[in-house]
Amino acid sequence: MTDRKMTGRRRKKVATENGCVFMHVKCNQGKGAAVRVGMLAAKGDFRIFTDADIPFEFDAVERFLHYLREKEFDIVIGDRRLPESRYFSRIKGARKVGSAMFTFFVGRLWLAVSSTRSAV
């Protein structure tokens, strides 16, 4: 049994214990493919996706749902670069630098990309 299989089993166990469904994409096809697989399998009126590191406070989900339910928005998109975001004040310096460098280089390759990580 390889470490990779054990990691996958642990992930599935944690997902199940927390009322989530574990989805697996056999080979690395990128974030877009993973989001597509998850969204196609998801059920319910609202579907929210995020990075595994959950880059926002959990109360943000309640705010998203407020706009979807009460305000009847079709889509809500989170952006951790907004002035009122507290995301960057909570992360360590090395991660800030790495994130900024990655975004800079992605922006040079794909000019239309403003954030590669945050959408709801």
Side-chain angles (χ1 to χ4, degrees):
M1 191 173 301
T2 66
D3 288 337
R4 188 174 194 163
K5 287 183 182 178
M6 290 296 290
T7 301
R9 287 185 181 153
R10 271 189 237 123
R11 288 179 184 159
K12 185 173 184 175
K13 181 180 181 210
V14 169
T16 303
E17 288 172 352
N18 289 282
C20 299
V21 176
F22 178 80
M23 304 296 299
H24 178 74
V25 179
K26 286 196 178 230
C27 65
N28 187 357
Q29 299 173 22
K31 181 177 179 176
V35 170
R36 184 173 46 259
V37 166
M39 287 297 186
L40 289 172
K43 296 180 171 102
D45 293 332
F46 305 108
R47 298 167 189 192
I48 298 173
F49 70 90
T50 183
D51 285 353
D53 66 348
I54 320 262
F56 51 81
E57 301 293 329
F58 285 114
D59 67 339
V61 174
E62 291 177 25
R63 291 196 315 266
F64 297 154
L65 291 172
H66 167 75
Y67 283 98
L68 293 167
R69 286 184 182 135
E70 316 305 323
K71 304 275 187 177
E72 298 184 3
F73 283 27
D74 293 323
I75 187 170
V76 178
I77 300 173
D79 187 343
R80 61 181 112 183
R81 295 172 304 134
L82 293 172
E84 58 272 12
S85 173
R86 294 175 303 222
Y87 174 75
F88 287 106
S89 65
R90 295 179 313 170
I91 61 173
K92 296 186 182 195
R95 184 165 178 185
K96 283 183 190 179
V97 171
S99 179
M101 288 173 53
F102 180 77
T103 301
F104 173 81
F105 287 115
V106 168
R108 297 307 167 266
L109 296 172
W110 296 281
L111 297 176
V113 174
S114 62
S115 174
T116 60
R117 297 174 209 80
S118 180
V120 177

